[in-house]
Amino acid sequence: MNKRKIIRIIILIVAVALSFSMASILGNDYWVSILIMIALNILLTSSLRTIYILDEVSLGQVGFTLIGAYTSALLTLKLGLPFWTAMIIAGLFSALIAFLLGYPFLRLKGIYFSILTFMTAEILRLITYNWRDLTGGQYGLSKIPAPASISLPMVGEISFDSMTNYYYLTLVIVIISLYFLYCLEHSHLNRKWRAIRDADNLALSVGINIMWYKVINFTIASFFAGIAGSLFAHYQGGLSVDVTSRFGVMMSLYLVLLMVIGGKERFTGPIIGAIGVEMLSEFSRPLDEYRPMLIGALAIVVMLIIPQGIVGIPSLIRGWIGKRKSSKVF
């Protein structure tokens, strides 16, 4: 194992340990709720980046989050299913819808694909908003139960009614999901996805079923969007789909912004982007009316100066130092 891998493993261990200790360090429910939302945004933005591997930008990820959230909520409220079963079904149902839509959607590329996914998310929101008998319509759903308590050896019974324990639950599920997505990026699937992105006609000529692998990509990304939706529903305890909600137009654009600011070319980009932008948003809360301008300004600076995103800063610094050293030599 080389030195770079050892450093990465140490950083990963420290990051995970810090994530679990943040709830105790911050010590109040407000900041723990912020941590939960950061974790959910990380999962959503990472799933969005999975689609970007194909060089496509989806503006409909919130639509599959909506499907996951309402599926999980309705299964627990109407059928009395436990959270754990409802969450998996929510992810699978989001994946199923994505699988059915994938073939016609992915025949389009670029801006046309983005517009189509954007319109689909908005159609799903409007259907949910008007289907009062099933979804509660404009009044939404309320009294969505928290996950049932679990009992662990040497730990005892853990209740998820408290904000801190729900954060730990969310964190564990997000870490497992990120690990799965990371493994995908180092699998044969990723090699095929990148081959399709770089030269789809060449990939087709060597026997790669382009549409099949595109649909698989879209389906996997939507599964994790559904999982994030389920976690959000049971954390919030209630759901609504008005235009200002988490399922509205602005959230679709916000997720793309997180991916771009963090760095869309690297796996850690969405993680850094979600943490950085959310913390900037919180610390600039006293300047409430100027917060969108600050985030927009950050996005412009990143795109102009650091097109690789925040995760590209170390490489930029190394390149700058290398140029300085080479200029001194000559």
Side-chain angles (χ1 to χ4, degrees):
M1 188 178 294
N2 60 38
K3 185 178 179 180
R4 182 172 291 184
K5 284 187 178 180
I6 293 173
I7 292 173
R8 285 179 179 175
I9 291 172
I10 292 172
I11 292 173
L12 177 61
I13 292 171
V14 171
V16 171
L18 186 61
S19 299
F20 277 97
S21 60
M22 284 304 293
S24 301
I25 292 171
L26 295 173
N28 65 70
D29 283 351
Y30 174 78
W31 277 106
V32 174
S33 70
I34 298 300
L35 292 176
I36 292 173
M37 296 311 299
I38 289 174
L40 293 178
N41 285 343
I42 287 173
L43 181 54
L44 272 173
T45 313
S46 295
S47 70
L48 180 65
R49 185 185 168 277
T50 300
I51 301 173
Y52 179 76
I53 293 173
L54 295 172
D55 202 24
E56 300 291 357
V57 177
S58 171
L59 294 177
Q61 211 66 352
V62 293
F64 297 102
T65 308
L66 182 153
I67 292 171
Y70 271 84
T71 299
S72 188
L74 290 169
L75 287 174
T76 53
L77 285 172
K78 305 289 187 181
L79 301 181
L81 291 182
F83 162 77
W84 310 100
T85 305
M87 180 184 67
I88 297 300
I89 294 175
L92 292 173
F93 188 55
S94 296
L96 175 63
I97 300 299
F99 183 80
L100 296 175
L101 296 176
Y103 184 78
F105 280 22
L106 290 161
R107 290 175 65 86
L108 302 176
K109 295 182 180 180
I111 189 66
Y112 302 105
F113 173 78
S114 298
I115 291 173
L116 191 56
T117 53
F118 177 83
M119 291 174 60
T120 301
E122 187 62 9
I123 289 169
L124 288 170
R125 188 188 69 81
L126 291 173
I127 289 172
T128 307
Y129 187 80
N130 290 287
W131 198 349
R132 183 177 299 181
D133 293 339
L134 181 65
T135 65
Q138 59 185 320
Y139 303 106
L141 298 174
S142 59
K143 298 181 180 178
I144 302 170
S149 302
I150 60 172
S151 183
L152 297 176
M154 297 185 295
V155 177
E157 188 170 335
I158 302 176
S159 170
F160 298 106
D161 292 331
S162 74
M163 191 82 72
T164 300
N165 285 348
Y166 196 86
Y167 166 66
Y168 292 138
L169 170 67
T170 302
L171 190 59
V172 168
I173 294 172
V174 169
I175 289 173
I176 292 171
S177 301
L178 290 177
Y179 176 73
F180 184 85
L181 290 173
Y182 179 82
C183 290
L184 279 178
E185 287 217 17
H186 294 78
S187 69
H188 73 283
L189 275 176
N190 185 55
R191 289 192 292 272
K192 289 182 171 62
W193 290 337
R194 291 187 182 276
I196 292 169
R197 179 192 67 182
D198 295 337
D200 54 357
N201 289 329
L202 182 60
L204 183 62
S205 70
V206 297
I208 296 176
N209 188 330
I210 291 176
M211 287 308 302
W212 172 250
Y213 283 104
K214 280 187 172 184
V215 170
I216 290 297
N217 176 291
F218 192 50
T219 301
I220 291 171
S222 300
F223 171 81
F224 287 107
I227 294 293
S230 174
L231 288 168
F232 175 75
H234 292 274
Y235 156 67
Q236 198 77 353
L239 291 173
S240 65
V241 286
D242 58 80
V243 73
T244 61
S245 72
R246 189 172 174 81
F247 310 113
V249 171
M250 292 308 297
M251 190 63 192
S252 294
L253 302 175
Y254 185 66
L255 291 175
V256 176
L257 198 66
L258 297 183
M259 182 177 70
V260 171
I261 290 175
K264 56 188 182 296
E265 297 297 338
R266 297 191 187 179
F267 184 81
T268 52
I271 301 172
I272 301 298
I275 295 172
V277 174
E278 199 66 38
M279 296 310 294
L280 172 65
S281 180
E282 283 305 312
F283 286 125
S284 62
R285 189 169 286 276
L287 306 171
D288 188 48
E289 58 189 285
Y290 300 107
R291 281 195 297 168
M293 294 172 61
L294 287 173
I295 295 173
L298 175 62
I300 292 170
V301 169
V302 167
M303 285 186 282
L304 290 177
I305 301 176
I306 325 166
Q308 303 91 349
I310 295 174
V311 293
I313 292 177
S315 299
L316 195 68
I317 293 173
R318 284 195 297 268
W320 180 73
I321 292 172
K323 287 181 181 178
R324 293 269 300 197
K325 287 181 179 178
S326 61
S327 63
K328 286 181 181 178
V329 171
F330 295 103

